[in-house]
Short mmCIF file of all heavy atoms in Angstrom, two decimals:
data_model
loop_
_atom_site.label_atom_id
_atom_site.label_comp_id
_atom_site.label_asym_id
_atom_site.label_seq_id
_atom_site.Cartn_x
_atom_site.Cartn_y
_atom_site.Cartn_z
N LEU A 1 7.68 6.56 -2.92
CA LEU A 1 6.59 5.99 -2.12
C LEU A 1 5.52 7.03 -1.80
O LEU A 1 4.34 6.70 -1.67
CB LEU A 1 7.15 5.41 -0.82
CG LEU A 1 7.89 4.07 -0.95
CD1 LEU A 1 8.63 3.75 0.34
CD2 LEU A 1 6.91 2.95 -1.29
N ARG A 2 5.94 8.29 -1.67
CA ARG A 2 4.98 9.34 -1.34
C ARG A 2 4.06 9.64 -2.52
O ARG A 2 2.88 9.99 -2.32
CB ARG A 2 5.74 10.61 -0.94
CG ARG A 2 4.83 11.76 -0.52
CD ARG A 2 5.65 12.93 -0.05
NE ARG A 2 6.55 13.42 -1.09
CZ ARG A 2 7.45 14.38 -0.90
NH1 ARG A 2 7.60 14.92 0.29
NH2 ARG A 2 8.22 14.78 -1.90
N THR A 3 4.57 9.47 -3.75
CA THR A 3 3.78 9.82 -4.92
C THR A 3 2.48 9.05 -5.02
O THR A 3 1.40 9.66 -5.17
CB THR A 3 4.63 9.62 -6.20
OG1 THR A 3 5.75 10.50 -6.13
CG2 THR A 3 3.81 9.94 -7.44
N PRO A 4 2.47 7.69 -4.97
CA PRO A 4 1.18 6.99 -5.05
C PRO A 4 0.26 7.31 -3.88
O PRO A 4 -0.97 7.34 -4.05
CB PRO A 4 1.58 5.51 -5.06
CG PRO A 4 2.95 5.45 -4.53
CD PRO A 4 3.59 6.73 -4.91
N LEU A 5 0.82 7.57 -2.71
CA LEU A 5 -0.03 7.93 -1.57
C LEU A 5 -0.70 9.28 -1.80
O LEU A 5 -1.88 9.47 -1.48
CB LEU A 5 0.81 7.96 -0.29
CG LEU A 5 1.37 6.61 0.18
CD1 LEU A 5 2.29 6.82 1.38
CD2 LEU A 5 0.24 5.65 0.53
N ALA A 6 0.06 10.22 -2.36
CA ALA A 6 -0.50 11.54 -2.64
C ALA A 6 -1.58 11.46 -3.72
O ALA A 6 -2.63 12.12 -3.63
CB ALA A 6 0.61 12.49 -3.08
N ILE A 7 -1.35 10.62 -4.74
CA ILE A 7 -2.35 10.45 -5.79
C ILE A 7 -3.62 9.84 -5.22
O ILE A 7 -4.74 10.28 -5.53
CB ILE A 7 -1.78 9.57 -6.92
CG1 ILE A 7 -0.64 10.30 -7.63
CG2 ILE A 7 -2.88 9.22 -7.91
CD1 ILE A 7 0.07 9.44 -8.65
N SER A 8 -3.48 8.83 -4.37
CA SER A 8 -4.64 8.20 -3.75
C SER A 8 -5.42 9.20 -2.92
O SER A 8 -6.66 9.23 -2.95
CB SER A 8 -4.20 7.01 -2.87
OG SER A 8 -3.60 6.00 -3.64
N GLN A 9 -4.69 10.03 -2.16
CA GLN A 9 -5.35 11.04 -1.34
C GLN A 9 -6.13 12.02 -2.20
O GLN A 9 -7.27 12.39 -1.88
CB GLN A 9 -4.30 11.78 -0.51
CG GLN A 9 -4.88 12.83 0.44
CD GLN A 9 -5.73 12.21 1.53
OE1 GLN A 9 -5.30 11.27 2.18
NE2 GLN A 9 -6.95 12.71 1.69
N THR A 10 -5.55 12.44 -3.32
CA THR A 10 -6.23 13.37 -4.22
C THR A 10 -7.49 12.75 -4.80
O THR A 10 -8.56 13.40 -4.87
CB THR A 10 -5.29 13.79 -5.36
OG1 THR A 10 -4.13 14.42 -4.79
CG2 THR A 10 -5.98 14.75 -6.31
N LEU A 11 -7.39 11.49 -5.25
CA LEU A 11 -8.55 10.81 -5.81
C LEU A 11 -9.68 10.69 -4.79
O LEU A 11 -10.86 10.89 -5.11
CB LEU A 11 -8.15 9.42 -6.31
CG LEU A 11 -7.23 9.37 -7.54
CD1 LEU A 11 -6.78 7.94 -7.80
CD2 LEU A 11 -7.95 9.93 -8.76
N LEU A 12 -9.32 10.38 -3.55
CA LEU A 12 -10.33 10.25 -2.50
C LEU A 12 -10.96 11.60 -2.16
O LEU A 12 -12.18 11.68 -1.91
CB LEU A 12 -9.71 9.61 -1.26
CG LEU A 12 -9.30 8.14 -1.40
CD1 LEU A 12 -8.51 7.68 -0.18
CD2 LEU A 12 -10.54 7.25 -1.59
N ASP A 13 -10.15 12.65 -2.15
CA ASP A 13 -10.69 13.99 -1.86
C ASP A 13 -11.68 14.42 -2.94
O ASP A 13 -12.74 14.99 -2.65
CB ASP A 13 -9.54 15.00 -1.77
CG ASP A 13 -8.73 14.83 -0.50
OD1 ASP A 13 -9.23 14.18 0.44
OD2 ASP A 13 -7.58 15.34 -0.46
N VAL A 14 -11.30 14.16 -4.21
CA VAL A 14 -12.19 14.50 -5.31
C VAL A 14 -13.50 13.73 -5.21
O VAL A 14 -14.60 14.28 -5.41
CB VAL A 14 -11.50 14.23 -6.67
CG1 VAL A 14 -12.50 14.38 -7.82
CG2 VAL A 14 -10.33 15.19 -6.86
N ALA A 15 -13.40 12.45 -4.89
CA ALA A 15 -14.60 11.61 -4.78
C ALA A 15 -15.50 12.09 -3.65
O ALA A 15 -16.73 12.09 -3.76
CB ALA A 15 -14.20 10.16 -4.57
N ARG A 16 -14.90 12.50 -2.54
CA ARG A 16 -15.69 12.95 -1.41
C ARG A 16 -16.41 14.26 -1.72
O ARG A 16 -17.54 14.48 -1.28
CB ARG A 16 -14.78 13.15 -0.19
CG ARG A 16 -15.53 13.57 1.08
CD ARG A 16 -14.62 13.51 2.28
NE ARG A 16 -13.43 14.33 2.11
CZ ARG A 16 -12.43 14.38 3.00
NH1 ARG A 16 -12.51 13.65 4.10
NH2 ARG A 16 -11.39 15.16 2.77
N ASN A 17 -15.77 15.12 -2.52
CA ASN A 17 -16.37 16.40 -2.87
C ASN A 17 -17.35 16.31 -4.03
O ASN A 17 -18.08 17.26 -4.32
CB ASN A 17 -15.27 17.42 -3.21
CG ASN A 17 -14.40 17.73 -2.01
OD1 ASN A 17 -14.86 17.72 -0.87
ND2 ASN A 17 -13.11 18.01 -2.27
N ASP A 18 -17.33 15.16 -4.72
CA ASP A 18 -18.24 14.97 -5.87
C ASP A 18 -18.94 13.62 -5.71
O ASP A 18 -18.50 12.61 -6.28
CB ASP A 18 -17.45 15.03 -7.17
CG ASP A 18 -18.37 14.91 -8.39
OD1 ASP A 18 -19.61 14.93 -8.21
OD2 ASP A 18 -17.84 14.79 -9.52
N PRO A 19 -20.04 13.57 -4.94
CA PRO A 19 -20.74 12.31 -4.70
C PRO A 19 -21.26 11.65 -5.98
O PRO A 19 -21.51 10.44 -5.99
CB PRO A 19 -21.90 12.72 -3.78
CG PRO A 19 -21.48 14.03 -3.21
CD PRO A 19 -20.67 14.70 -4.27
N ASN A 20 -21.44 12.40 -7.05
CA ASN A 20 -21.99 11.85 -8.28
C ASN A 20 -20.93 11.26 -9.21
O ASN A 20 -21.24 10.79 -10.30
CB ASN A 20 -22.76 12.94 -9.04
CG ASN A 20 -23.95 13.46 -8.25
OD1 ASN A 20 -24.62 12.69 -7.56
ND2 ASN A 20 -24.18 14.76 -8.31
N GLN A 21 -19.69 11.27 -8.78
CA GLN A 21 -18.62 10.74 -9.62
C GLN A 21 -18.78 9.23 -9.81
O GLN A 21 -19.26 8.52 -8.92
CB GLN A 21 -17.25 11.04 -9.02
CG GLN A 21 -16.08 10.64 -9.92
CD GLN A 21 -14.74 10.86 -9.23
OE1 GLN A 21 -14.68 10.90 -8.01
NE2 GLN A 21 -13.68 11.00 -10.01
N ASP A 22 -18.34 8.73 -10.97
CA ASP A 22 -18.39 7.31 -11.27
C ASP A 22 -17.44 6.56 -10.34
O ASP A 22 -16.22 6.69 -10.42
CB ASP A 22 -17.98 7.08 -12.73
CG ASP A 22 -18.10 5.61 -13.13
OD1 ASP A 22 -18.51 4.79 -12.29
OD2 ASP A 22 -17.75 5.29 -14.28
N THR A 23 -18.02 5.77 -9.42
CA THR A 23 -17.18 5.04 -8.45
C THR A 23 -16.36 3.95 -9.12
O THR A 23 -15.28 3.59 -8.64
CB THR A 23 -18.06 4.44 -7.35
OG1 THR A 23 -19.04 3.58 -7.94
CG2 THR A 23 -18.74 5.53 -6.54
N GLY A 24 -16.86 3.39 -10.22
CA GLY A 24 -16.11 2.35 -10.91
C GLY A 24 -14.78 2.86 -11.43
O GLY A 24 -13.74 2.20 -11.29
N GLU A 25 -14.81 4.07 -12.01
CA GLU A 25 -13.57 4.66 -12.50
C GLU A 25 -12.62 4.96 -11.35
O GLU A 25 -11.41 4.76 -11.45
CB GLU A 25 -13.89 5.95 -13.26
CG GLU A 25 -12.65 6.66 -13.81
CD GLU A 25 -12.99 7.97 -14.48
OE1 GLU A 25 -14.21 8.29 -14.56
OE2 GLU A 25 -12.06 8.68 -14.91
N LEU A 26 -13.18 5.44 -10.24
CA LEU A 26 -12.36 5.74 -9.07
C LEU A 26 -11.67 4.48 -8.56
O LEU A 26 -10.47 4.49 -8.27
CB LEU A 26 -13.22 6.35 -7.96
CG LEU A 26 -12.52 6.56 -6.61
CD1 LEU A 26 -11.41 7.58 -6.74
CD2 LEU A 26 -13.54 6.98 -5.54
N VAL A 27 -12.42 3.38 -8.45
CA VAL A 27 -11.86 2.12 -7.96
C VAL A 27 -10.74 1.65 -8.89
O VAL A 27 -9.68 1.19 -8.43
CB VAL A 27 -12.95 1.06 -7.82
CG1 VAL A 27 -12.33 -0.31 -7.57
CG2 VAL A 27 -13.91 1.42 -6.70
N ASP A 28 -10.94 1.75 -10.19
CA ASP A 28 -9.92 1.32 -11.15
C ASP A 28 -8.63 2.12 -10.99
O ASP A 28 -7.52 1.56 -11.00
CB ASP A 28 -10.44 1.46 -12.58
CG ASP A 28 -11.51 0.44 -12.91
OD1 ASP A 28 -11.62 -0.57 -12.17
OD2 ASP A 28 -12.26 0.65 -13.89
N ARG A 29 -8.77 3.43 -10.84
CA ARG A 29 -7.58 4.27 -10.71
C ARG A 29 -6.88 4.03 -9.38
O ARG A 29 -5.63 3.98 -9.33
CB ARG A 29 -7.97 5.74 -10.85
CG ARG A 29 -8.51 6.10 -12.23
CD ARG A 29 -8.86 7.57 -12.34
NE ARG A 29 -7.69 8.41 -12.22
CZ ARG A 29 -7.73 9.75 -12.22
NH1 ARG A 29 -8.91 10.37 -12.32
NH2 ARG A 29 -6.63 10.46 -12.12
N LEU A 30 -7.65 3.86 -8.32
CA LEU A 30 -7.04 3.55 -7.02
C LEU A 30 -6.34 2.19 -7.06
O LEU A 30 -5.27 2.01 -6.46
CB LEU A 30 -8.11 3.55 -5.92
CG LEU A 30 -8.62 4.92 -5.47
CD1 LEU A 30 -9.77 4.76 -4.49
CD2 LEU A 30 -7.48 5.72 -4.81
N HIS A 31 -6.93 1.24 -7.76
CA HIS A 31 -6.32 -0.09 -7.88
C HIS A 31 -4.97 0.01 -8.59
O HIS A 31 -3.98 -0.61 -8.18
CB HIS A 31 -7.26 -1.03 -8.63
CG HIS A 31 -6.73 -2.43 -8.75
ND1 HIS A 31 -5.91 -2.82 -9.79
CD2 HIS A 31 -6.89 -3.52 -7.96
CE1 HIS A 31 -5.59 -4.10 -9.64
NE2 HIS A 31 -6.18 -4.54 -8.54
N ALA A 32 -4.91 0.79 -9.65
CA ALA A 32 -3.66 0.94 -10.40
C ALA A 32 -2.59 1.62 -9.55
O ALA A 32 -1.42 1.20 -9.55
CB ALA A 32 -3.91 1.74 -11.68
N VAL A 33 -2.98 2.65 -8.83
CA VAL A 33 -2.03 3.37 -7.98
C VAL A 33 -1.54 2.46 -6.86
O VAL A 33 -0.34 2.42 -6.54
CB VAL A 33 -2.67 4.64 -7.40
CG1 VAL A 33 -1.74 5.28 -6.37
CG2 VAL A 33 -2.99 5.63 -8.50
N ASN A 34 -2.45 1.70 -6.26
CA ASN A 34 -2.07 0.80 -5.18
C ASN A 34 -1.15 -0.30 -5.68
O ASN A 34 -0.18 -0.69 -5.00
CB ASN A 34 -3.33 0.18 -4.56
CG ASN A 34 -3.01 -0.64 -3.33
OD1 ASN A 34 -2.53 -0.12 -2.33
ND2 ASN A 34 -3.27 -1.94 -3.40
N ALA A 35 -1.42 -0.82 -6.88
CA ALA A 35 -0.57 -1.87 -7.46
C ALA A 35 0.84 -1.35 -7.67
O ALA A 35 1.83 -2.07 -7.44
CB ALA A 35 -1.17 -2.36 -8.78
N ARG A 36 0.96 -0.12 -8.11
CA ARG A 36 2.29 0.47 -8.32
C ARG A 36 3.03 0.62 -7.00
O ARG A 36 4.24 0.37 -6.92
CB ARG A 36 2.16 1.82 -9.01
CG ARG A 36 3.51 2.47 -9.30
CD ARG A 36 3.37 3.69 -10.17
NE ARG A 36 4.66 4.30 -10.43
CZ ARG A 36 5.53 3.87 -11.33
NH1 ARG A 36 5.24 2.80 -12.05
NH2 ARG A 36 6.69 4.47 -11.52
N ALA A 37 2.32 1.01 -5.94
CA ALA A 37 2.95 1.15 -4.63
C ALA A 37 3.43 -0.22 -4.12
O ALA A 37 4.52 -0.33 -3.54
CB ALA A 37 1.98 1.78 -3.64
N ILE A 38 2.65 -1.25 -4.36
CA ILE A 38 3.04 -2.61 -3.95
C ILE A 38 4.27 -3.05 -4.74
O ILE A 38 5.21 -3.63 -4.17
CB ILE A 38 1.87 -3.59 -4.16
CG1 ILE A 38 0.74 -3.28 -3.17
CG2 ILE A 38 2.33 -5.04 -4.00
CD1 ILE A 38 -0.51 -4.09 -3.40
N ASP A 39 4.27 -2.80 -6.05
CA ASP A 39 5.43 -3.18 -6.87
C ASP A 39 6.70 -2.51 -6.37
O ASP A 39 7.77 -3.13 -6.30
CB ASP A 39 5.18 -2.80 -8.33
CG ASP A 39 4.13 -3.68 -8.99
OD1 ASP A 39 3.83 -4.75 -8.44
OD2 ASP A 39 3.60 -3.26 -10.06
N LEU A 40 6.60 -1.24 -6.04
CA LEU A 40 7.75 -0.50 -5.56
C LEU A 40 8.24 -1.07 -4.22
O LEU A 40 9.43 -1.28 -4.01
CB LEU A 40 7.41 0.98 -5.40
CG LEU A 40 8.49 1.86 -4.77
CD1 LEU A 40 9.78 1.79 -5.56
CD2 LEU A 40 8.00 3.30 -4.66
N THR A 41 7.31 -1.36 -3.31
CA THR A 41 7.68 -1.91 -2.01
C THR A 41 8.36 -3.26 -2.16
O THR A 41 9.37 -3.54 -1.51
CB THR A 41 6.43 -2.04 -1.12
OG1 THR A 41 5.79 -0.76 -1.00
CG2 THR A 41 6.82 -2.51 0.27
N GLU A 42 7.82 -4.11 -3.03
CA GLU A 42 8.42 -5.42 -3.24
C GLU A 42 9.81 -5.29 -3.86
O GLU A 42 10.73 -6.04 -3.51
CB GLU A 42 7.52 -6.28 -4.14
CG GLU A 42 6.23 -6.72 -3.44
CD GLU A 42 5.34 -7.55 -4.34
OE1 GLU A 42 5.59 -7.57 -5.56
OE2 GLU A 42 4.39 -8.17 -3.81
N ALA A 43 9.98 -4.34 -4.77
CA ALA A 43 11.30 -4.13 -5.37
C ALA A 43 12.31 -3.67 -4.33
O ALA A 43 13.47 -4.09 -4.32
CB ALA A 43 11.20 -3.10 -6.50
N LEU A 44 11.88 -2.80 -3.42
CA LEU A 44 12.76 -2.35 -2.36
C LEU A 44 13.16 -3.51 -1.44
O LEU A 44 14.30 -3.59 -0.99
CB LEU A 44 12.09 -1.24 -1.55
CG LEU A 44 11.92 0.10 -2.24
CD1 LEU A 44 11.01 1.02 -1.42
CD2 LEU A 44 13.27 0.76 -2.46
#
């Protein structure tokens, strides 16, 4: 459970430090990480 949260935190930190980053790509990656966290929670 900590892994997807850590990945999300890293992605958000990178985005905050790089305002010119493609937000679409960021949203897609965050969506995938969040979906995995939901799948894990539901399995538990």
Side-chain angles (χ1 to χ4, degrees):
L1 285 169
R2 182 176 60 185
T3 298
L5 294 175
I7 293 174
S8 297
Q9 182 65 50
T10 300
L11 291 173
L12 291 172
D13 288 343
V14 171
R16 182 170 57 184
N17 295 328
D18 183 8
N20 298 322
Q21 186 184 22
D22 183 1
T23 57
E25 179 183 358
L26 173 65
V27 170
D28 289 342
R29 295 181 65 183
L30 285 174
H31 182 273
V33 172
N34 186 64
R36 182 171 180 79
I38 291 174
D39 289 344
L40 174 58
T41 304
E42 290 179 347
L44 289 170

